Amino acid sequence: GGFAPGGGFLPLDAWVCVTRASHFSAAELGVLSCVCRAWKEVLAESVDLWLYIDFAPRQAKVTDEVLERVLTSARMRSLRTLDLSHCALLSSGAIFNVLNRSSAQLELGSIDLSHCPSVNDDVLRKVAERCPQLTCLLLNNLTHISDRGVISVVRTAILLKMLEANSSSLSDNVRDAIEYGDFRVLLLDGYGG
């Protein structure tokens, strides 16, 4: 048997069924993986638990080390949605490294990098290069991105349907360059003009 949250005991196979049907934050999955070796192994191998990772609730505590520990190459391959919004302690190098972890292309469909002060054009180019399934990208209040970085994503991520970029560092050229896209939602507020 295995320890279950709430102080009871569950057989490991029953606990696996419960956790696979549940939605846990990255922080909660990290805590659960510390319970015992069996839980750590199950969590590491449970691809469906790592489809959506939202660091936003714990953004003040997400460091490069936390990001790199949570987003292993196996988890990156299965990940579909990644929310790093407001994670002010992250470096562009750490974001770049986790995007580059897997040798295969990533299946990420949605990424929120809003309010991450270290996000720059290099990170955007890596997102474009590694995430061909990208359909939604949120880039609000990023001061280190330029027209060139946003345009590289738009031209490379051909499935992109939603782009939200609110930054004073963008110009009219961005809007002109991406008007040909097949966007359902395109928000480009605050561009320089």
Side-chain angles (χ1 to χ4, degrees):
F3 174 78
F9 284 88
L10 279 176
L12 187 58
D13 56 346
W15 181 80
V16 169
C17 290
V18 170
T19 58
R20 286 191 174 154
S22 302
H23 174 75
F24 293 103
S25 71
E28 291 166 332
L29 288 170
V31 169
L32 290 173
S33 70
C34 293
V35 170
C36 67
R37 184 176 301 150
W39 283 31
K40 183 176 182 175
E41 290 170 7
V42 168
L43 287 167
E45 295 172 8
S46 297
V47 173
D48 48 340
L49 287 175
W50 298 98
L51 296 176
Y52 174 84
I53 296 184
D54 181 359
F55 284 103
R58 304 254 190 238
Q59 76 242 4
K61 296 180 180 183
V62 179
T63 62
D64 292 354
E65 181 184 335
V66 168
L67 184 70
E68 293 193 16
R69 189 174 61 233
V70 171
L71 296 179
T72 64
S73 61
R75 291 177 186 152
M76 285 303 293
R77 283 192 301 273
S78 63
L79 191 59
R80 300 299 184 265
T81 300
L82 178 60
D83 186 345
L84 295 175
S85 62
H86 298 276
C87 292
L89 300 176
L90 292 178
S91 71
S92 60
I95 299 169
F96 191 91
N97 287 343
V98 297
L99 288 170
N100 215 24
R101 280 228 164 126
S102 172
S103 59
Q105 294 288 61
L106 302 176
E107 298 293 323
L108 274 165
S110 177
I111 303 175
D112 188 350
L113 298 172
S114 299
H115 306 277
C116 263
S118 67
V119 171
N120 58 29
D121 287 345
D122 291 335
V123 170
L124 294 184
R125 279 192 291 280
K126 186 53 70 175
V127 165
E129 172 189 315
R130 303 290 294 142
C131 304
Q133 303 300 315
L134 193 64
T135 59
C136 176
L137 182 61
L138 305 178
L139 303 171
N140 292 304
N141 296 315
L142 301 176
T143 57
H144 294 99
I145 63 171
S146 70
D147 298 354
R148 191 174 31 150
V150 174
I151 291 169
S152 73
V153 171
V154 170
R155 291 193 174 150
T156 307
I158 60 172
L159 299 178
L160 194 62
K161 299 290 181 204
M162 179 177 177
L163 172 65
E164 190 174 299
N166 175 327
S167 175
S168 60
S169 60
L170 302 178
S171 75
D172 289 332
N173 295 334
V174 171
R175 184 178 299 274
D176 295 341
I178 61 179
E179 278 187 348
Y180 69 89
D182 184 25
F183 291 95
R184 282 184 272 157
V185 179
L186 174 62
L187 302 171
L188 293 172
D189 294 330
Y191 59 95

